[in-house]
Amino acid sequence: MTLDGPHTFWRRPVPRLFQVLRTMPHYPDDLRESRRLFERARKVMPGGNTRTTVYIDPFPIYAARGEGCKIWDVDGNAYYDCIGNFTALIHGYGQPDVTAAVVDQMPQGTAFGAPTLSEIELAELLVERLPSVEQIRFANSGTEGVMMAIKAVRAYTGRPRIVKIEGAYHGSYDFAEVSLDSSPANWGDLPVSTAYAKGTPHGVLEDVLVVPFNDIEALKAVFATHGETIAGILIDPMPNRAGLIPARKHYLEAMIEIAHAAGALVTFDEVISFRLGYSGAQGLWGVMPDLTALGKIIGGGFPVGAVGGRAEIMSVFDPTGGKPALPHGGTFTANPVTMRAGLAAMRALTGESFSHLDRLGTLLLDGINASLRRHDLAGQCVGLGSLFKVHFTAHPVTDYRSVYPGPAERRKLDAFHKGLLNRGVLSASYGLFALSTPMTEQDARIILRAIDETLGEIASQS
Ligand SMILES: Cc1ncc(COP(=O)(O)O)c(C=O)c1O
């Protein structure tokens, strides 16, 4: 490790940009233009909102533009972007190869009722990078990629049920949303399946079995009772909403063994975790799933999703012999703008990019843990590589229930999020950070200093 230890950055002179960020106006009072846009939005969109995840109480900060690892709001304030459109923008804004590919494609046509060379090229790159993927199929969002994976395991096995991890987020397909926000009031003894959206059909809850994370015995128990009806297990190897805790390798290996013994399949949702390494989480862990769902970074900043896996399973989509077991279309699927942007972004994401992101991630994760200790705040920062998350809880975090925030933790998370906004750092409101390749070590130190100041402020108010 060539970086300074986590404590040494305090003694460095304050860089100029940080001095600039210190003069940030205060959220929400000073952000007049964002407030004005929100009031306008409320007239034509429910709650002024078209994407629940970006809402902030009392109103969201409206983005005007981005460049590298920073964004500017409509009031002219700059922020380090530590969320990158919810982890999708691994190269930040204006990556030159991505911009050139898109600018070249636009006048040639943005979408056709015919396939293009660009989808073959992106498919070839992904098949080459992901050891478990022999064939792939594109979609327009991670939600759709996951949905296709669920439908594919059902079509392949002829069984109705899937198993998922309590609290894990996999997009907005009904079956993937089950038990996303279970609470102590309804979570009961697993496998209890709870509805996320009001009106979820009861059949959906019956066909999704929920288990705790990293628990082999719970998996065995579910398969012992329901094995013959289970088509597959859906798992994100480092589930963000369930705590961003990495899966144990042994757990993933046992999962595949248990599933295969029952004639079921395992899908890794790598919509986010593909940003952990050159070959994604499966490359890092050295564990091969049957199917992989993708999205976010593979679109170079444009809407995208995909499902890939063993050719034998992917044949459920194959139309060459007549109607396939699982027909699938999509008006904008594999459009050449997304495909070319994705190809340029993925080509620019080299082994060196990951070493760089890992170095910055370690600096921040270690630095935040040191800062929490220094301020005597109950809390911990967990994660891997370019992804990390702050929990304001001192006990060991192991699964969704262990990270479920009580009212005091929720208040701290809110103060953390808004304290960072006021210091020029944009993160997710639930404590998640995602780094991007244009960030430098100096940027990381400035972000860390803003985090430390915010944690100090929270400690002084506790
Ligand atoms: C793990 C995971 N799967 C699936 C999705 C859904 O992707 P999208 O928002 O592109 O539909 C997300 C989105 O955040 C995700 O984090």
Side-chain angles (χ1 to χ4, degrees):
M1 188 101 154
T2 53
L3 302 177
D4 292 345
H7 298 282
T8 54
F9 69 94
W10 316 107
R11 293 191 285 275
R12 292 170 175 245
V14 177
R16 226 186 107 255
L17 178 61
F18 185 65
Q19 290 167 347
V20 172
L21 294 179
R22 284 181 73 98
T23 62
M24 289 284 299
H26 196 264
Y27 173 86
D29 310 331
D30 297 333
L31 301 185
R32 295 199 183 88
E33 190 57 17
S34 276
R35 187 191 289 274
R36 208 181 60 77
L37 287 184
F38 182 62
E39 290 310 323
R40 187 169 155 194
R42 288 181 77 134
K43 298 195 179 105
V44 284
M45 288 180 273
N49 180 270
T50 198
R51 192 177 173 196
T52 316
T53 32
V54 299
Y55 177 69
I56 306 174
D57 183 41
F59 59 85
I61 292 175
Y62 280 75
R65 68 183 181 92
E67 190 183 312
C69 62
K70 301 195 187 82
I71 66 167
W72 281 260
D73 70 17
V74 286
D75 288 283
N77 306 300
Y79 305 83
Y80 277 107
D81 186 359
C82 290
I83 198 55
N85 192 22
F86 286 83
T87 79
L89 299 184
I90 199 160
H91 293 303
Y93 302 90
Q95 203 281 346
D97 300 343
V98 174
T99 304
V102 172
V103 167
D104 183 60
Q105 184 61 42
M106 292 289 282
Q108 299 186 59
T110 59
F112 306 101
T116 66
L117 166 66
S118 61
E119 72 191 66
I120 305 173
E121 289 181 323
L122 184 56
E124 284 170 347
L125 181 145
L126 294 169
V127 165
E128 198 263 320
R129 282 197 183 199
L130 285 159
S132 73
V133 173
E134 292 172 346
Q135 294 196 325
I136 196 160
R137 201 170 167 94
F138 292 103
N140 297 295
S141 67
T143 291
E144 249 189 275
V146 168
M147 177 180 77
M148 285 158 56
I150 291 174
K151 292 172 80 168
V153 298
R154 286 187 204 139
Y156 185 75
T157 61
R159 300 174 177 178
R161 283 188 157 136
I162 61 154
V163 176
K164 71 158 291 211
I165 305 297
E166 186 174 37
Y169 182 65
H170 298 284
S172 4
Y173 185 37
D174 279 351
F175 295 86
E177 280 184 337
V178 171
S179 290
L180 171 56
D181 70 344
S182 309
S183 71
N186 66 7
W187 64 30
D189 289 332
L190 288 176
V192 167
S193 301
T194 64
Y196 181 57
K198 203 170 169 188
T200 300
H202 199 67
V204 169
L205 301 179
E206 268 175 13
D207 282 336
V208 181
L209 300 162
V210 180
V211 291
F213 188 55
N214 264 337
D215 185 337
I216 296 173
E217 292 312 311
L219 269 183
K220 282 186 184 159
V222 158
F223 271 85
T225 317
H226 304 283
E228 286 179 4
T229 59
I230 297 173
I233 305 172
L234 174 66
I235 181 157
D236 175 344
M238 193 165 82
N240 161 32
R241 302 276 189 97
L244 206 75
I245 302 147
R248 285 198 296 269
K249 180 176 159 84
H250 178 55
Y251 174 63
L252 296 177
E253 287 167 345
M255 170 179 287
I256 288 172
E257 228 177 274
I258 294 166
H260 286 183
L265 303 173
V266 173
T267 300
F268 279 7
D269 178 349
E270 293 230 33
V271 168
I272 289 190
S273 67
F274 193 35
R275 64 150 48 230
L276 292 181
Y278 190 81
S279 299
Q282 58 197 259
L284 271 188
W285 269 259
V287 180
M288 299 303 116
D290 299 298
L291 290 181
T292 302
L294 296 167
K296 307 236 186 208
I297 66 168
I298 69 163
F302 288 81
V304 78
V307 58
R310 291 211 312 275
E312 183 200 353
I313 305 166
M314 291 298 289
S315 68
V316 297
F317 294 105
D318 181 354
T320 55
K323 181 188 164 190
L326 177 51
H328 162 251
T331 306
F332 291 98
T333 291
N335 74 77
V337 178
T338 296
M339 295 293 104
R340 290 195 59 191
L343 185 67
M346 293 308 296
R347 280 184 178 152
L349 200 57
T350 61
E352 270 171 33
S353 315
F354 285 105
S355 307
H356 174 65
L357 288 169
D358 288 352
R359 261 197 311 278
L360 297 186
T362 304
L363 186 151
L364 278 155
L365 188 141
D366 290 350
I368 293 169
N369 278 320
S371 174
L372 284 161
R373 285 194 297 275
R374 203 172 16 258
H375 294 297
D376 204 17
L377 262 177
Q380 56 202 292
C381 185
V382 298
L384 274 181
S386 60
L387 287 173
F388 51 91
K389 189 169 194 174
V390 174
H391 297 288
F392 286 102
T393 179
H395 58 253
V397 292
T398 52
D399 58 11
Y400 175 70
R401 295 187 184 197
S402 70
V403 300
Y404 191 82
E409 285 102 52
R410 280 180 206 274
R411 276 196 298 277
K412 280 184 189 152
L413 274 173
D414 188 55
F416 186 54
H417 180 231
K418 287 174 181 157
L420 283 174
L421 285 179
N422 288 331
R423 291 174 175 85
V425 175
L426 179 69
S427 59
S429 59
Y430 49 87
L432 179 73
F433 293 74
L435 305 180
S436 59
T437 56
M439 284 179 182
T440 64
E441 190 181 318
Q442 182 179 338
D443 294 326
R445 289 183 191 287
I446 295 168
I447 293 164
L448 188 49
R449 189 162 178 144
I451 292 173
D452 183 68
E453 275 198 12
T454 308
L455 292 176
E457 187 173 78
I458 293 170
S460 71
Q461 291 161 359
S462 300

